[in-house]
Amino acid sequence: MAIEFRKNLALFRDVVSVEEAEPLLEWLQKKPAGRVDLADCTHLHAANLQVLMAACASVKAWPKDPFFADWLRAALLRPH
Amino acid sequence: MTPLLEQFLSEARDFLQGIGEKLMQLEKAPADAELMTELFRFVHTLKGNSGLFDFPEMTRVLHAGEDLMDAVRQGRVAYSQELADRLLDAMDFIGMLCDEIELNGAIGSAYAAESARLGASLRQLISVPGTAVEGVPLAVPSSTEQPIPTPAALPPLETLPEVVRMAAFRLAHEGEPLHWLTYTPEEGCFFSGDDPFFQARQTPGVLWGGVVAREAWPKLLEVDAYRCILDFHLLTTASRADLDEYYRYMPEQIRRVAIPALALVQPQGDPNGGPVYEDFVVEALDTLGRGDNGSLAHAARTMLELSNPDLWLASALRWLLLLLELEPDNHAAQGVVIESLRNLETIDWLAVTAMAPSVEDEPCTAAETRMSPVEMSPEEMSPEEQASLAALVATQRAILGLPIEAAWQMGRVRAVISTLSGCLRACQREDEIAGLEAASAAALDDASAAPLLDWLDRHFSTESVAPAPAAPEHKATEAAPVVVLPAEDTKSAGEGEGDVKFGRRAEDAFSGPKSLKVEQAKIDLLMNLIGEIVVAKNALPYLAGRAETVFGVRELSREIKAQYAVINRIAEEMQDAIMQVRMMPVSFVFQRFPRLVRDISRKLGKEVKLVLEGEETEADKNIIESLGDPLVHIVRNSLDHGFELPEVRRAAGKPSEGTLTIRATQESDRVVIEIQDDGKGIDPEVVKRKAYEKGLIDETTLERLSDQEAVNLVFAAGFSTAEVISDLSGRGVGMDVVRTAIEKVNGAIALDSEKGRGTRIRLSLPLSMAVTNVMIIESDGQIFGLPMDNVVETVRVARTDIRTIKRSMATVLRGRIVPLKSLNKLLGLATPPIANDQDELAVLVVRLGEESVGLLVDDFRETVDIILKPMTGVLAGLGCYSGSALMGDGSVLMVLNVKELM
Amino acid sequence: MKRILIVDDAATVRMFHRTILESAGYTVDEAVNGIEALEKALQSAYDLYMVDINMPKLDGYGFLRELRGHDIPQPPAIMISTEAEASDQSQAYASGANAYLIKPSKPEQLLVHVRLLIGEA
């Protein structure tokens, strides 16, 4: 698993694949205030992105790759 | 067909073969990482090759296969039999496409659906491990709406950060095309293994990308993670062609709009209470009216310094300054930006100018007034070249920023210097090479990449360089030690077209590949030519004879004979060499068996282990090829009828897994193939009864037949032991067909079997069919050839020793009765055989299976080596001849096929 | 005559690139893996290398790293890959490549890079 779920924080690492979208969604459903740490994430499958967007998840740390971070900021910081 | 396509097909087949083999091997050793890596590489390379052509149906499947193997290789997906099956299916499909391409030069549209299905079935294994769903969701293109030709509105560019738009604006002025791309992936795309986010991220030339939901998000508890409702929006510098290429598998899912540079000009920020800058606006417009760009820029800068940068005002001023810089003569546009300070509204460029974004037209490059390209690029450089140059320079900058921790990394720096020097020469800035060399030298002296980076900053300003979006982001680490660089290297790289290159390079030997792939036709031609030499050479002994007998010059005759010996030797060696070229290992035929045995045994529910031995044994290509079908038939037969089901085997005290051995060996000038199974064997009683029921043998024979003879009845025409003809062993085609095929190439087949223990079939074939030793005989004033393989002996039999029993003739030779047949009669000639002076008839005893038969001919002649050419055209139908050969005196020799003759 | 060494295990790709380069007047030599490429690079001088990533025996990264460690002239290298992943790209640059192209590259695009790297106006 490329996502490690802690108490109120989901840590994303490397490439997060499509299979992890479902557990991520379940976690966010249980913990609406949960935050995500994307610092060590290099890519996440669109399904995960979709879940993060739907949940308006708050981001604790953005990816190190600035281009990737820009993408995510544009997707997640936009008011829905 | 182009040579490239031919090369592709030939290599593709090799790869398909290799993929099949690796999969077979993996089945035995599923954890073998090396095999897995090789398999991945095969699929990967094949996909790369297919990408050179426009075969999306092929590439799609291979791409899925590559991704799947990559996942397996990295341990994300476990290897399984299911996976092997799907991959094999996919490769069969690719093989079919290869055939299609070979035949028609292209892939018909009929294959698209199958391609999508196979691709999806492979991808399914990557995306949803463990949950194999029947009925793979297909990538059905959503209703193909045509893109609206000219949309009335520009995309919401004002939502992009100002920095991004300003960078894009600059790029547009450097000649880059700008496109706004909307990518709407299908809702079900996650199931076909697609990752639209990845697809979007990798779009060439992305400057900015955004993601929006197509519909309002439902409550979190009702969200479906796997129904894709995302739309991707991108601003890119890629050309229309590049975008179409990149999205060519989903053209219906994208819409691209060419963006006029001015559309990017949109102030944004805090309006701060409203338009309070009337004075400034009036004054600015006045200055603009006078065309005094300098004063206007000065005023704008002053105002900017006094303003909070987050204000809408500040943003508008920045745009104004940029416009003054890049489009100094476009007063209209500058005026519009100034006016916007009055109402603080988004500028409607469509209303202001006549410009409209177009979906179909070529992207409008930048603005009407095109700024002369940045200092570095001469006017002659095309926009593509400028873009490549900019990207290259940016890359070299990034490479220089990498830390240097090992000695070899100095080579990397030197390669950067070569590259920069190349770039300078390419844009005819040779005068700057000296500076580069100085910087290189300084870099060495200081043991730091900094001088080179400085030089880059001075000569290739960052602004003028495209921020190559895909370029890696490297943080320039602390001054890394640069290892000393030999000065002459940089010099030689810098001197370009100078005289150095010849001294250094002229003698470089070109080394070609060590093995060649040669067309079959070329070898055949060589074969024919050597055949002619053999024939021509055979004329020399005649000539020697004539020299002596007709012209009476013995000396000359001897010399001719000596020369003949030399030529004969060379011809034989040459023939040998050419034969060697034609030799192929039997593995060529064997390689198909692992898959065949696996598929069939699985289908029959049997467990069979295949053992292949002696695969490296070689024989002539024709022999090897003629082996293929009979072997397949034998193997299928064995799987179908020979091996028992596992439970039956266990009950019989045998291991549940049977063993099928195919073994090739060379025995003097023949290659022997044995196919052995440890199945139930053949019951001679059953065979006898069947043969009797089918009327193949009569009652007396039934009594008399030995078990071995009975077993050999399976080769009789029209014999089939199976109660039901299965779909595997062919439809009513029995072992007789196998025998005929083997005998056609002068092979022999033998079978022995032990009930309950198994069956062994032994094929014996000549190593080469190229040269045949034949005996020449005379009959009815004509000459014929007979292969020496068939000849047992030649005898003269007194007419009185020939008995006529009923209507057939026979004689006794060494205590055995030999039936006699007149060749003339067999050939349908009326003439009776001619006896010699002693009233003896010439009898050629030939082997016919286990029997010997005497052929009555007129006379025997010498034996010769000939190159037998099969009969072609209408003559091919004449079974009594196996071929023809050209003789030394130019005549044609017809070679008899003894078996057919009888 | 500028000399280019194509390093690729796929004969089709080699032929594809050879055709493009030769029609543009370059002399082309080929190697089928990193080991052979290294042998050739040490024996004769080239003006440019075009290197595939995934090859048997020694891959493209390995070849470049070895090459860059030798005390010989260091001409530019283009890494040719089917992968569009940024990680491959950074690894290519770190290994000693100077440019990175995705195959199938369009002939014009390839030639533009070759011209710039080799330094022909």
Side-chain angles (χ1 to χ4, degrees):
Chain A
M1 290 294 275
I3 307 181
E4 183 191 327
F5 296 106
R6 296 199 182 153
K7 205 167 167 201
N8 283 308
L9 184 71
L11 269 168
F12 285 51
R13 271 194 211 95
D14 306 326
V15 176
V16 179
S17 69
V18 65
E19 299 95 285
E20 308 191 48
E22 197 69 56
L24 176 63
L25 177 62
E26 282 163 19
W27 185 78
L28 284 165
Q29 284 166 345
K30 268 185 279 175
K31 309 203 171 179
R35 306 175 74 199
V36 294
D37 181 332
L38 303 169
D40 287 328
C41 180
T42 52
H43 182 72
L44 47 86
H45 187 282
N48 295 286
L49 177 62
Q50 182 166 304
V51 168
L52 291 180
M53 287 170 74
C56 291
S58 57
V59 178
K60 178 173 176 266
W62 296 100
K64 294 195 182 94
D65 173 351
F67 292 112
F68 184 38
D70 284 347
W71 269 100
L72 293 182
R73 280 197 198 94
L76 297 170
L77 295 181
R78 186 183 278 259
H80 304 300
Chain B
M1 182 151 13
T2 64
L4 185 66
L5 195 54
E6 271 174 41
Q7 168 67 53
F8 167 71
L9 290 175
S10 138
E11 197 178 21
R13 294 206 169 98
D14 287 353
F15 275 121
L16 287 174
Q17 184 64 49
I19 292 167
E21 278 168 16
K22 293 286 169 247
L23 275 171
M24 292 298 122
Q25 292 168 15
L26 266 177
E27 206 138 85
K28 288 187 197 121
D32 191 325
E34 201 172 308
L35 271 176
M36 204 75 82
T37 308
E38 260 182 282
L39 181 58
F40 167 77
R41 189 170 55 76
F42 282 180
V43 180
H44 165 85
T45 313
L46 184 52
K47 185 211 90 184
N49 283 356
S50 79
L52 298 177
F53 306 90
D54 189 21
F55 299 145
E57 293 81 6
M58 185 182 276
T59 311
R60 181 185 298 132
V61 174
L62 288 169
H63 200 160
E66 179 193 27
D67 288 351
L68 176 59
M69 285 320 299
D70 194 34
V72 174
R73 186 175 63 146
Q74 295 173 359
R76 283 187 280 126
V77 172
Y79 175 86
S80 66
Q81 211 145 51
E82 175 70 17
L83 183 147
D85 282 345
R86 289 197 194 181
L87 210 52
L88 284 171
D89 278 354
M91 293 310 133
D92 286 347
F93 176 69
I94 301 295
M96 211 164 78
L97 293 183
C98 285
D99 295 344
E100 168 87 2
I101 293 166
E102 180 148 41
L103 215 65
N104 304 324
I107 298 175
S109 55
Y111 294 95
E114 181 65 0
S115 154
R117 193 190 66 78
L118 285 168
S121 102
L122 292 175
R123 291 208 176 273
Q124 194 189 31
L125 291 172
I126 317 176
S127 46
V128 214
T131 54
V133 189
E134 280 316 312
V136 180
L138 282 190
V140 181
S142 59
S143 60
T144 43
E145 309 160 68
Q146 287 301 310
I148 309 145
T150 16
L154 284 161
L157 288 167
E158 66 279 4
T159 58
L160 271 57
E162 189 187 272
V163 220
V164 172
R165 281 180 289 124
M166 285 199 161
F169 191 69
R170 280 190 184 279
L171 286 169
H173 281 268
E174 282 160 26
E176 293 277 7
L178 284 181
H179 281 101
W180 179 263
L181 185 115
T182 309
Y183 166 34
T184 311
E186 289 158 27
E187 288 193 353
C189 68
F190 296 167
F191 291 103
S192 34
D194 290 344
D195 180 358
F197 186 25
F198 188 77
Q199 173 85 15
R201 275 185 74 188
Q202 299 300 321
T203 306
V206 182
L207 295 175
W208 180 88
V211 191
V212 290
R214 265 173 239 169
E215 46 194 78
W217 292 108
K219 286 198 207 82
L220 196 55
L221 283 171
E222 289 154 22
V223 166
D224 179 356
Y226 294 124
R227 187 174 68 96
C228 177
I229 57 163
L230 296 180
D231 274 357
F232 296 83
H233 298 283
L234 300 97
L235 181 64
T236 150
T237 56
S239 67
R240 190 172 76 158
D242 286 347
L243 290 174
D244 287 353
E245 170 73 9
Y246 182 73
Y247 284 98
R248 77 190 137 139
Y249 298 109
M250 48 202 83
E252 74 288 349
Q253 298 171 17
I254 62 158
R255 257 194 53 200
R256 46 168 172 63
V257 179
I259 299 294
L262 274 180
L264 295 163
V265 181
Q266 284 296 351
Q268 63 182 178
D270 184 358
N272 193 23
V276 289
Y277 308 105
E278 187 57 33
D279 289 353
F280 175 78
V281 172
V282 173
E283 202 173 313
L285 287 176
D286 182 49
T287 323
L288 184 66
R290 280 182 277 116
D292 186 351
N293 282 11
S295 304
L296 184 54
H298 183 74
R301 257 192 292 272
T302 316
M303 188 72 181
L304 190 55
E305 274 167 30
L306 297 171
S307 314
N308 180 335
D310 294 336
L311 290 183
W312 210 91
L313 165 77
S315 171
L317 289 172
R318 285 192 293 266
W319 278 112
L320 176 61
L321 285 167
L322 192 63
L323 271 177
L324 286 169
E325 178 195 340
L326 297 179
E327 295 190 24
D329 301 327
N330 193 349
H331 299 311
Q334 293 153 14
V336 169
V337 173
I338 299 171
E339 292 274 7
S340 78
L341 287 172
R342 283 197 164 124
N343 49 23
L344 302 189
E345 276 171 19
T346 302
I347 302 170
D348 183 359
W349 287 106
L350 286 182
V352 178
T353 63
M355 80 181 185
S358 59
V359 172
E360 286 304 49
D361 298 344
E362 272 304 312
C364 339
T365 34
E368 298 70 55
T369 45
R370 214 178 130 202
M371 186 217 166
S372 70
V374 255
E375 13 131 26
M376 61 174 208
S377 9
E379 212 75 62
E380 302 89 275
M381 279 184 109
S382 68
E384 292 80 38
E385 282 174 312
Q386 289 181 33
S388 301
L389 176 63
L392 268 179
V393 172
T395 301
Q396 306 317 305
R397 195 189 301 273
I399 297 173
L400 286 176
L402 292 174
I404 296 173
E405 288 146 347
W408 69 268
Q409 288 163 342
M410 78 167 176
R412 199 167 65 191
V413 175
R414 288 163 59 197
V416 167
I417 295 169
S418 307
T419 303
L420 292 175
S421 155
C423 290
L424 284 181
R425 275 177 280 131
C427 44
Q428 293 165 330
R429 288 162 63 182
E430 281 93 343
D431 45 326
E432 293 170 45
I433 288 177
L436 174 62
E437 282 172 16
S440 306
L444 309 177
D445 289 348
D446 300 0
S448 153
L452 280 166
L453 282 166
D454 279 356
W455 181 88
L456 263 180
D457 286 343
R458 273 180 282 118
H459 292 257
F460 292 92
S461 60
T462 346
E463 292 81 50
S464 63
V465 163
E473 186 69 4
H474 297 301
K475 309 257 167 347
T477 45
E478 76 285 3
V482 176
V483 196
V484 180
L485 180 69
E488 58 269 41
D489 279 351
T490 35
K491 217 179 279 161
S492 74
E495 276 168 18
E497 301 294 319
D499 45 7
V500 221
K501 64 177 183 185
F502 285 110
R504 186 156 58 97
R505 290 167 191 159
E507 293 83 13
D508 293 343
F510 180 88
S511 45
K514 286 181 188 84
S515 67
L516 291 173
K517 264 196 178 172
V518 184
E519 261 174 76
Q520 161 97 47
K522 291 183 181 164
I523 307 280
D524 288 346
L525 178 63
L526 274 180
M527 204 62 200
N528 285 340
L529 289 174
I530 186 64
E532 285 179 31
I533 290 184
V534 167
V535 166
K537 144 208 110 167
N538 284 345
L540 287 178
Y542 290 107
L543 187 61
R546 273 163 59 86
E548 189 170 346
T549 53
V550 181
F551 301 102
V553 216
R554 275 191 91 164
E555 196 69 4
L556 183 63
S557 166
R558 253 208 319 279
E559 273 177 38
I560 292 176
K561 278 181 188 155
Q563 278 305 312
Y564 169 75
V566 173
I567 294 172
N568 192 37
R569 182 182 55 77
I570 298 173
E572 274 171 10
E573 279 175 20
M574 215 161 127
Q575 202 176 329
D576 224 44
I578 295 171
M579 306 284 219
Q580 284 306 315
V581 176
R582 290 177 53 97
M583 293 297 249
M584 282 175 85
V586 294
S587 60
F588 178 79
V589 181
F590 281 13
Q591 66 196 8
R592 72 175 87 171
F593 289 114
R595 172 92 189 266
L596 188 89
V597 170
R598 168 189 185 277
D599 286 358
I600 295 180
S601 58
R602 210 187 280 178
K603 200 165 167 185
L604 295 170
K606 295 179 180 178
E607 291 171 24
V608 178
K609 181 176 77 186
L610 175 70
V611 178
L612 294 174
E613 289 174 15
E615 290 157 283
E616 66 293 337
T617 312
E618 288 192 324
D620 185 86
K621 186 172 183 293
N622 286 352
I623 299 285
I624 295 289
E625 281 171 350
S626 67
L627 254 177
D629 288 344
L631 265 184
V632 169
H633 200 87
I634 292 170
V635 168
R636 287 188 155 185
N637 231 359
S638 168
L639 292 169
D640 215 8
H641 311 308
F643 287 103
E644 313 91 328
L645 289 166
E647 52 273 21
V648 180
R649 288 181 65 90
R650 277 194 296 273
K654 295 197 219 177
S656 59
E657 188 185 49
T659 305
L660 178 67
T661 311
I662 308 181
R663 181 186 302 120
T665 45
Q666 191 182 333
E667 283 179 13
S668 70
D669 61 344
R670 296 184 78 81
V671 52
V672 174
I673 317 266
E674 281 179 351
I675 305 99
Q676 188 167 11
D677 68 47
D678 62 352
K680 62 173 181 266
I682 299 174
D683 185 343
E685 290 310 316
V686 174
V687 173
K688 272 197 247 181
R689 208 186 58 231
K690 286 262 165 197
Y692 175 65
E693 280 167 12
K694 294 195 173 170
L696 296 172
I697 51 171
D698 54 29
E699 222 159 321
T700 42
T701 327
L702 186 66
E703 313 270 293
R704 186 169 54 77
L705 273 184
S706 71
D707 281 359
Q708 178 60 44
E709 283 167 326
V711 162
N712 272 305
L713 277 174
V714 298
F715 291 120
F719 186 92
S720 173
T721 49
E723 302 290 334
V724 185
I725 292 165
S726 82
D727 69 324
L728 292 174
S729 292
R731 284 154 190 83
V733 181
M735 290 294 279
D736 58 317
V737 176
V738 173
R739 192 197 56 186
T740 317
I742 295 293
E743 285 174 352
K744 213 171 204 155
V745 289
N746 284 325
I749 185 164
L751 180 149
D752 54 295
S753 179
E754 196 177 332
K755 194 183 162 192
R757 301 287 293 276
T759 305
R760 189 182 66 160
I761 293 179
R762 196 182 136 97
L763 309 177
S764 152
L765 298 141
L767 275 187
S768 152
M769 58 197 295
V771 170
T772 318
N773 189 227
V774 297
M775 163 162 275
I776 296 176
I777 49 155
E778 233 181 277
S779 201
D780 194 26
Q782 303 174 51
I783 57 163
F784 297 97
L786 249 165
M788 279 302 280
D789 285 351
N790 299 133
V791 178
V792 180
E793 62 179 325
T794 58
V795 286
R796 292 216 172 250
V797 178
R799 203 189 284 274
T800 49
D801 288 340
I802 295 177
R803 308 268 180 275
T804 305
I805 305 162
K806 288 185 191 165
R807 296 192 59 187
S808 36
M809 297 178 289
T811 190
V812 178
L813 285 175
R814 282 181 279 282
R816 281 193 68 169
I817 296 173
V818 176
L820 297 178
K821 307 220 165 175
S822 157
L823 180 62
N824 286 352
K825 213 180 234 169
L826 292 172
L827 291 174
L829 304 171
T831 343
I834 301 166
N836 65 1
D837 309 340
Q838 284 90 43
D839 203 28
E840 289 169 339
L841 289 171
V843 176
L844 185 72
V845 184
V846 294
R847 194 181 295 114
L848 197 68
E850 299 293 305
E851 275 183 90
S852 293
V853 174
L855 269 185
L856 293 174
V857 297
D858 288 357
D859 204 359
F860 312 117
R861 291 240 204 120
E862 71 277 18
T863 65
V864 287
D865 281 346
I866 52 142
I867 308 278
L868 190 62
K869 288 189 187 170
M871 307 291 265
T872 50
V874 269
L875 295 178
L878 296 176
C880 56
Y881 296 111
S882 55
S884 65
L886 209 61
M887 297 302 290
D889 58 0
S891 62
V892 172
L893 179 72
M894 303 299 281
V895 178
L896 296 167
N897 181 339
V898 178
K899 288 191 186 91
E900 289 294 320
L901 205 58
M902 306 289 180
Chain C
M1 202 68 124
K2 300 287 184 179
R3 297 190 65 209
I4 301 175
L5 181 66
I6 299 177
V7 189
D8 202 307
D9 59 326
T12 308
V13 175
R14 291 199 303 274
M15 189 168 179
F16 176 73
H17 286 143
R18 175 186 274 275
T19 315
I20 295 172
L21 293 172
E22 283 182 342
S23 65
Y26 298 105
T27 306
V28 175
D29 199 355
E30 297 180 6
V32 303
N33 58 48
I35 299 281
E36 192 183 318
L38 200 60
E39 282 166 6
K40 294 200 172 203
L42 294 178
Q43 275 164 17
S44 44
Y46 297 93
D47 297 280
L48 180 70
Y49 301 100
M50 276 177 52
V51 187
D52 179 34
I53 293 182
N54 203 321
M55 291 181 291
K57 292 185 186 163
L58 181 62
D59 68 9
Y61 304 129
F63 160 63
L64 283 177
R65 274 195 296 268
E66 282 290 325
L67 174 81
R68 295 304 186 210
H70 282 273
D71 189 18
I72 51 170
Q74 295 289 356
I78 305 181
M79 193 132 240
I80 308 266
S81 161
T82 47
E83 307 311 317
E85 286 161 46
S87 64
D88 287 349
Q89 204 167 346
S90 13
Q91 201 181 343
Y93 293 144
S95 303
N98 299 93
Y100 186 94
L101 291 181
I102 309 290
K103 77 186 158 192
S105 39
K106 281 204 237 49
E108 315 82 61
Q109 192 201 4
L110 176 69
L111 288 174
V112 164
H113 276 83
V114 170
R115 264 198 299 278
L116 288 169
L117 287 167
I118 282 188
E120 289 172 325

